[in-house]
Amino acid sequence: MRQTGRMPILPSFRFPTVAARSRGRRFAVVLLLASPALAAPLPEAARDSIAEQAGTLPRSHSLLVAVDGDTVIDEGFRGHETNETANIKSLSKTLISALVGAAIDRGVIESVDQPVVELLGDRVPADIDPRVSDITVGNLLSMQAGLERTSGGNYGAWVASSNWVADALERPFVAEPGGRMLYSTGNSHLLSAALTEATGRSTLALTRDWLGDPLGIAIPPWTRDPQGIYFGGNEMGLTPQALLRFGEMIRQHGTRDDRTVLSADWIERSWQPRTRSFFNGDDYGYGWFITRIAGQPVYYGWGYGGQLLYVVPSRAMTVVMTSDPTPPSSGSDYLDNVEALVAELIEATNRPHQESSP
C-alpha cells in the first residue's frame, strides 16, 4: 500500500519544502533512469492471484502488466478486451505532458519557462488579469497556474461555455502562478491550444505523429471544444494495450526498438516533484503523480473512475488498469485497492536480498 498516508493539506499551504524535495528526488530519478532494474520473473501463482483480485474490483475493465519488456498479465473483465478503445479520462493529461516534452525536444516550445500567452497568440482575450502573462508552460503542467479551477464543481459550466480557452484564462486568480496545486483540466486544455497554435496542426495530428506512429498504436479522434481544439486532459480514447506500450516507452527512457520517441531528459524532469496533490498527498510533477509503493518509487497517471498507468523503474515494470469511466466513482478508495495490487506485483518480483531503490 502507499506509504504517504492521508495527511490533511490546507488550501493555503505553499509547500515550502518542495524545492528541497525536488533536489533530492531528482538524484533518485537520475539513478532510476540510468541503472538497470533487477526484477525477478513474476511467479505464475502470483500472476493468477493478482489477475483474479483485479477482476473482483467493482469497476475493473482490464489489467495489463509488463515486466522486463514481457507482457505477463493481459486480462479483460466484464466483457471488456484489452484491444478495445477505453476512455482514459484525466490520464490524458499524462499524454499531453509527453506531447509538450516532444514539442520542446523539437524546438516548437522554447522551454517550460515560456509564458503560455506567447504560444496562444490571438486566443488570449483582451483585458484579462495581467498576471496571466506570468503563467508558464511548466505552471500548467504542474497545475500551478493560480487560476480558479475548471474541474470539480466548475467543470460543467466550463465545458458548457462557448470558448473553453477564454473561459479558463478569464477565471479569477485564487493563488499566485507557481504556488499551490490547483488541479484543473483547463490547464491541460490550454496546453492543447498552445500546441495547436505553435504548430498549426491539431493535437490529434501531433499525437499520431509524435506518439502513435513511433509506438505503433492507433490514436482515434476524441472530443473537441467549440473552436475545434482537441480536448487537452480528458476524454482521449486508447486501448489498454496502447497504454501499456506508451508506459513501456516511458520506462525505457523514451525509446522503443532503439528509436527515441521522447528525450530521457524530459522524463526525468516530468518525474521531479513540483507540488503536492490535495486529494491524496502524493507529489506531482509534469502530468505524473509520484509516490512510493512497497518501498519503491512509483510514477503514475490517474484518470476518473480508475484509469491508471504505473511505471515502476526498479522492477522494470509497467502496469495498466482501466475501469468504468462513468459516475459514481469511489476515487481515492479505488486507487488504494489498485495500489494494493501494484504492491503485490512489486513484492512478487523482488529478487532475494535486493536492496530498495532510493
Side-chain angles (χ1 to χ4, degrees), residues 13 238 265:
F13 191 63
L238 289 176
D265 176 70

Side-chain angles (χ1 to χ4, degrees), residues 185-251:
T185 299
N187 291 345
S188 297
H189 190 63
L190 291 174
L191 291 170
S192 180
L195 287 165
T196 299
E197 282 295 307
T199 63
R201 304 174 65 197
S202 72
T203 307
L204 171 63
L206 296 175
T207 308
R208 286 174 168 172
D209 187 16
W210 295 350
L211 297 178
D213 289 349
L215 292 176
I217 60 176
I219 310 290
W222 69 96
T223 306
R224 291 187 285 175
D225 74 6
Q227 284 66 49
I229 298 170
Y230 280 89
F231 203 163
N234 201 1
E235 304 294 336
M236 287 183 70
L238 289 176
T239 69
Q241 291 179 1
L243 276 173
L244 186 72
R245 191 168 292 184
F246 171 79
E248 279 287 276
M249 177 272 292
I250 295 292
R251 182 188 66 78

Side-chain angles (χ1 to χ4, degrees), residues 45-66:
R47 181 195 65 198
D48 293 344
S49 173
I50 290 166
E52 181 178 358
Q53 291 178 64
T56 64
L57 293 179
R59 305 181 63 86
S60 62
H61 285 180
S62 72
L63 174 68
L64 292 94
V65 180

Side-chain angles (χ1 to χ4, degrees), residues 29 38 54 83 99 128 186 193 204 227 256 292 318:
V29 169
L38 299 173
N83 61 356
L99 285 180
I128 57 173
L204 171 63
Q227 284 66 49
R256 178 176 184 262
R292 294 182 76 87
T318 302

